[in-house]
Amino acid sequence: MTTALRRLRNYIDGEFRDAADGRTTEVVNPATGEAYATAPLSAAADVDAAMAAAEAAFPAWRDLIPAERQKVLLKIADRFEERAEELIAAESENCGKPVALVRSEEIPPMVDQIRFFAGAARMLEGRAAGEYMEGFTSIIRREPVGVCAQVAPWNYPMMMAVWKFAPALAAGNTVVIKPSDTTPASTVLIADIIGSVLDELGHSRGVFNVICGDRETGRLMVEHKIPAMASITGSVRAGMQVAESASKDLKRVHLELGGKAPVVVFEDTDIPKAVEDISVAGYFNAGQDCTAATRVLVHEAIHDEFVAALAKAASETKTGAVDDEDVLYGPLNNANQLKQVKGFIERLPAHAKIEAGGEQVGDKGYFFAPTVVSGLKQDDEIVQQEVFGPVITVQSFSDEKQAVEWANGVEYALASSVWTKDHARAMRMSKSLDFGCVWINTHIPLVAEMPHGGFKKSGYGKDLSAYGFDDYTRIKHVMTSLDG
């Protein structure tokens, strides 16, 4: 007997709908490698319907006083808590993530982030009104940009959806969001939650819409005439394509792309503590995190000791089933990603040494062992390109100047960390490292109040914080004559 696949649907103007042409794609649980659902493969007619719904809902949502939008977001946060177990189950099946970690590491920050932006809705800031020309008063209006086309990734589909819709809705925009074609389940559930809140509080459910589909669906969203802004979290290639497509009608673009975070470890570091924290930051979520601690640069004086300790930590790190509370991470998200990670290992140069891991785990699903690779050079592929898997590379540096040069010597510039007891050195490094975030003696913590975003090919625009909120607003100058 074959198990019937669950049927996921688009959410457009408050209704769950199949794709207009009936096309679907199968959704696979990466922990088993087996399909568990179907989702719409949306085309132009579906995108048109969602954009029209968001456009129709925009004027009333825009014109609400901020306190009313805040009420909606606070109610959404409450509902996330009330339906947490549903969200956890959906995300675990979506991604193969350990249930316990979704419960402890994703639900609480998501709820907190929604509540943060609920507060931000009432904290619009601008220059003080005043007379900057004799006889005239100038004021600044901060307004929503309009309909936002948003594309979320597959590594944190639920949390990245929050990072996108929360500031957009708080600022008065309406939303059409597309989850990855491999991870639509939790976003469809979020649509049910938000739609029910909008309905209860008497607002148009067209404020929030979900379209399932593939890259072509995303392209149709970005190129559609209605959205004023396109936001994507994804690969560098996808970001470049979005920027090119959006340029045709000068849409605003918000890009959070890849990362290759350097982890610079100096000789005065507490090695056991650093190894413990770095291995968690490198392997959490199977290394499928743009800020993951995957590129370690360690001072030559402690290189051998550090590598041995890191390899031991990797051998003690566990990946496995979603219901095993002892595992740190689950599988890679899809078969293509498993193939990509394997490819990096297979193409390692002769001078590289696999200190731990380096192979697929089990014969079911897309699990990969926690891996440490040493003996690498700055221009090696695995140092320069984002692996997006549970692989930590190690290089040995001789002095601070070389550490900075190698740390900055990649095309990505999202996150980095410095490990030292020397405060002055930490300050010098934080100034010299060309990354959107520099952690000192830690790696990967995020808070709603602080911005997340990078430079160079890691994209532009900020998530979280007041800066992320500002990205979803536009500035208008209003000048009035005092002569009446």
Side-chain angles (χ1 to χ4, degrees):
M1 293 180 61
T2 58
T3 303
L5 301 182
R6 189 158 75 251
R7 182 181 175 191
L8 304 174
R9 291 170 145 187
N10 292 331
Y11 186 79
I12 301 173
D13 203 16
E15 296 180 352
F16 285 101
R17 309 181 188 180
D18 295 323
D21 61 10
R23 291 192 303 157
T24 63
T25 183
E26 287 191 343
V27 185
V28 173
N29 184 332
T32 65
E34 298 175 352
Y36 69 91
T38 64
L41 189 55
S42 300
D46 309 296
V47 174
D48 286 344
M51 294 300 174
E55 183 180 44
F58 174 64
W61 185 252
R62 172 198 62 201
D63 293 342
L64 286 176
I65 62 171
E68 292 302 313
R69 291 198 296 271
Q70 181 189 48
K71 287 180 183 177
V72 174
L73 285 162
L74 290 175
K75 177 68 76 172
I76 291 170
D78 291 345
R79 199 60 52 83
F80 266 55
E81 286 185 322
E82 293 164 11
R83 300 181 65 177
E85 292 306 313
E86 293 176 69
L87 290 165
I88 292 165
E91 193 73 337
S92 182
E93 195 168 34
N94 243 355
C95 307
K97 295 184 180 187
V99 168
L101 287 174
V102 179
R103 181 178 292 114
S104 65
E105 304 300 322
E106 296 199 30
I107 296 295
M110 286 192 306
V111 170
D112 179 66
Q113 289 152 9
I114 297 170
R115 288 177 176 150
F116 170 82
F117 284 113
R122 300 178 69 170
M123 289 294 291
L124 291 166
E125 294 184 356
R127 293 179 182 271
E131 290 66 53
Y132 301 92
M133 179 181 289
E134 188 174 346
F136 296 87
T137 295
S138 289
I139 63 172
I140 295 294
R141 290 183 58 87
R142 189 180 289 274
E143 302 175 339
V145 298
V147 175
C148 297
Q150 302 182 320
V151 180
W154 48 251
N155 59 332
Y156 291 100
M158 188 163 60
M159 187 177 290
M160 295 302 98
V162 168
W163 286 21
K164 294 189 181 301
F165 80 70
L169 295 184
N173 304 286
T174 54
V175 165
V176 179
I177 188 168
K178 187 192 87 67
S180 168
D181 56 338
T182 67
T183 56
S186 57
T187 312
V188 172
L189 179 56
I190 288 172
D192 183 56
I193 292 172
I194 294 178
S196 67
V197 170
L198 290 168
D199 196 43
E200 289 172 21
L201 298 181
H203 303 294
S204 169
R205 289 179 288 180
V207 165
F208 182 83
N209 306 270
V210 171
I211 289 287
C212 299
D214 58 8
R215 290 178 182 172
E216 176 62 12
T217 311
R219 184 189 67 79
L220 291 169
M221 288 173 59
V222 172
E223 293 185 357
H224 201 278
K225 66 181 184 298
I226 288 177
M229 179 175 178
S231 170
I232 178 175
T233 300
S235 67
V236 173
R237 180 183 65 177
M240 289 179 170
Q241 290 171 345
V242 166
E244 181 179 3
S245 295
S247 70
K248 295 174 183 177
D249 56 3
L250 296 180
K251 283 185 179 68
R252 282 197 185 197
V253 179
H254 184 283
L255 304 174
E256 199 277 273
L257 309 177
K260 194 70 181 174
V263 180
V264 184
V265 181
F266 285 95
E267 67 276 14
D268 60 345
T269 298
D270 180 337
I271 293 177
K273 181 65 166 61
V275 165
E276 179 183 0
D277 291 353
I278 291 167
S279 61
V280 170
Y283 298 135
F284 188 82
N285 204 45
Q288 297 171 128
D289 190 314
C290 298
T291 63
T294 57
R295 184 166 62 103
V296 173
L297 307 173
V298 60
H299 192 275
E300 59 189 11
I302 60 169
H303 173 269
D304 292 351
E305 181 183 358
F306 190 91
V307 169
L310 192 60
K312 183 175 185 293
S315 69
E316 295 171 351
T317 299
K318 187 176 178 182
T319 180
V322 300
D323 57 354
D324 186 341
E325 296 192 1
D326 292 330
V327 306
L328 177 65
Y329 67 88
L332 295 167
N333 182 260
N334 55 73
N336 286 338
Q337 188 60 25
L338 176 62
K339 181 179 179 181
Q340 175 171 309
V341 174
K342 284 182 173 180
F344 274 101
I345 300 301
E346 292 166 357
R347 294 189 301 273
L348 283 173
H351 54 262
K353 180 182 179 183
I354 298 175
E355 303 280 355
E359 70 281 331
Q360 184 175 354
V361 176
D363 56 3
K364 186 178 183 181
Y366 311 130
F367 296 91
F368 200 83
T371 299
V372 176
V373 182
S374 67
L376 293 164
K377 299 179 181 179
Q378 180 65 13
D379 59 355
D380 287 336
E381 178 197 31
I382 200 168
V383 169
Q384 291 294 320
Q385 300 301 316
E386 187 174 34
V387 178
F388 223 56
V391 178
I392 296 177
T393 64
V394 185
Q395 297 167 260
S396 175
F397 69 85
S398 58
D399 56 32
E400 189 173 316
K401 180 180 177 182
Q402 187 178 62
V404 170
E405 179 185 348
W406 285 358
N408 291 339
V410 295
E411 293 183 326
Y412 303 92
L414 182 59
S416 59
S417 63
V418 180
W419 300 75
T420 180
K421 296 176 182 177
D422 185 330
H423 177 74
R425 178 160 58 193
M427 291 298 96
R428 290 194 303 271
M429 291 294 293
S430 67
K431 177 183 177 181
S432 299
L433 288 171
D434 189 20
F435 295 84
C437 176
V438 181
W439 286 291
I440 298 174
N441 293 326
T442 188
H443 194 109
I444 227 165
L446 296 170
V447 292
E449 294 86 350
M450 291 293 115
H452 175 84
F455 315 133
K456 294 163 49 175
K457 286 191 176 179
S458 289
Y460 45 82
K462 298 297 182 183
D463 289 311
L464 303 176
S465 80
Y467 300 99
F469 180 72
D470 288 349
D471 281 353
Y472 286 94
T473 68
R474 65 184 190 181
I475 303 300
K476 179 186 288 183
H477 169 220
V478 179
M479 181 180 253
T480 182
S481 170
L482 297 181
D483 292 339

